[in-house]
Amino acid sequence: MAGVRLPESLTGIALAILLAGATALPAAAESTVPPGGGAGVPTGGGARVTLTLQELRKARADAAKAVGKPGPRWEYKTRINCAVGDPDANCDTAASACTNGQLQAVVLRRLVNPDGTPVPDDRGIWSEWGVTCFPDLLPGNTLPSLAQIRQAFRQVNFTKGDLSIQPVGNVTLVNLPTYFEATWPEAGVGPDEIDASTILGYRLEIQPIARSVTYVYGDGNTSGPTTSVGGSYPDGDIRWTYKQPGVMATRLDTTYGGRFRLEGGAWITIPGTVEVKGSPVNLTVREAKARLYNNG
């Protein structure tokens, strides 16, 4: 339906997902940090990738070797690469920065003992390891991919657009301007409403946004795509004058974009759009005929 836009209090909450993988390291007393370690670089807003595929694959291989063995090991978690303090634009960049269907992610890690407790030095504190477009290569990663988010977006039960027409009663006349107004019924998920579901164990919220609409007049003519929702007589800016009588199958087609967030984090724009054809509204166009009456 035509819902009221929800408050856009984008809090910049970064999504942090704990990864179960662990990488074996030398004894805790050894101060040498393995190759590829360290805090990485300042990140946010689609920062350049700083982790190589070789480093990620080695982390996964070392995690497999560490199972059941003594000694400290690296524990990982990731978050979508959103800059703190300005999540809107920068989270959008993180969604578009990668070309492999993944969300660009910041990888953090810390050194833990075999019982899972952090080691009592700086290596036991979560720190940034780097940025990657391949979080799926990390051991135990469960961060949903952008491809999975887009698939969930396409599966939303979008509201089909409807039309309010004047003159009322879905009857008009040839050569008479007819006014059209876009509406969205209660059924389905309409513009600015929220569709909530679960993906890989995480709460996923998708908010459809009407990017544009197209008015189909049923006589082979259309108006749009446009962002105008039209209106009623006399101020409505979407109107059409029929030249021939008949029954016209009018409808409102909606181009939906959208945005999503995971676990109540920052909103991120979903690349691409979905076209949803509206429900047909039959409009009868009649021809006015002049008649002479004898009043005598």
Side-chain angles (χ1 to χ4, degrees):
M1 68 175 181
V4 176
R5 179 177 290 277
L6 299 178
E8 297 185 0
S9 55
L10 307 183
T11 60
I13 301 173
L15 173 67
I17 301 177
L18 184 63
L19 302 180
T23 303
L25 284 179
E30 187 173 335
S31 60
T32 302
V33 178
V41 298
T43 58
R48 62 188 179 86
V49 171
T50 61
L51 292 173
T52 66
L53 288 175
Q54 289 79 3
E55 288 173 316
L56 296 173
R57 288 167 178 158
K58 185 178 186 302
R60 184 170 60 182
D62 289 347
K65 295 177 183 178
V67 175
K69 294 184 179 180
R73 61 201 66 192
W74 287 119
E75 185 177 55
Y76 299 91
K77 66 180 179 180
T78 61
R79 67 168 184 258
I80 297 174
N81 190 20
C82 302
V84 175
D86 185 14
D88 295 324
N90 291 323
C91 278
D92 286 351
T93 305
S96 62
C98 301
T99 60
N100 61 343
Q102 300 291 320
L103 291 164
Q104 191 180 69
V106 178
V107 181
L108 300 96
R109 69 178 187 175
R110 67 177 180 178
L111 197 62
V112 298
N113 294 308
D115 63 358
T117 59
V119 298
D121 59 35
D122 288 346
R123 295 177 301 168
I125 301 172
W126 286 114
S127 60
E128 292 183 4
W129 187 32
V131 178
T132 182
C133 281
F134 297 90
D136 56 318
L137 293 182
L138 283 165
N141 173 63
T142 58
L143 183 66
S145 69
L146 184 59
Q148 291 171 315
I149 300 295
R150 293 179 70 176
Q151 179 63 25
F153 174 59
R154 289 190 290 268
Q155 292 175 345
V156 169
N157 180 27
F158 295 101
T159 297
K160 294 182 178 181
D162 204 350
L163 287 171
S164 175
I165 302 174
Q166 282 189 319
V168 297
N170 293 342
V171 176
T172 189
L173 298 175
V174 170
N175 296 323
L176 177 71
T178 302
Y179 289 75
F180 296 84
E181 183 175 1
T183 64
W184 286 270
E186 293 283 345
V189 184
D192 304 324
E193 295 180 340
I194 300 294
D195 178 76
S197 61
T198 301
I199 184 169
L200 298 181
Y202 300 97
R203 178 178 171 82
L204 169 65
E205 293 176 280
I206 292 177
Q207 184 180 53
I209 299 172
R211 299 296 186 195
S212 65
V213 294
T214 298
Y215 297 83
V216 179
Y217 298 129
D219 63 349
N221 292 286
T222 61
S223 290
T226 177
T227 57
S228 173
V229 296
S232 57
Y233 173 85
D235 298 322
D237 61 346
I238 301 298
R239 48 189 178 269
W240 185 248
T241 300
Y242 291 93
K243 302 302 183 183
Q244 300 293 332
V247 177
M248 309 300 173
T250 67
R251 70 173 191 269
L252 180 77
D253 295 343
T254 306
T255 299
Y256 282 105
R259 59 182 190 168
F260 77 94
R261 64 181 179 182
L262 293 168
E263 294 293 328
W267 287 104
I268 301 174
T269 298
I270 301 172
T273 57
V274 172
E275 307 291 331
V276 178
K277 288 187 176 182
S279 301
V281 178
N282 287 332
L283 173 65
T284 300
V285 181
R286 293 176 177 169
E287 189 171 20
K289 295 181 180 180
R291 295 182 180 178
L292 297 176
Y293 291 90
N294 185 353
N295 294 324

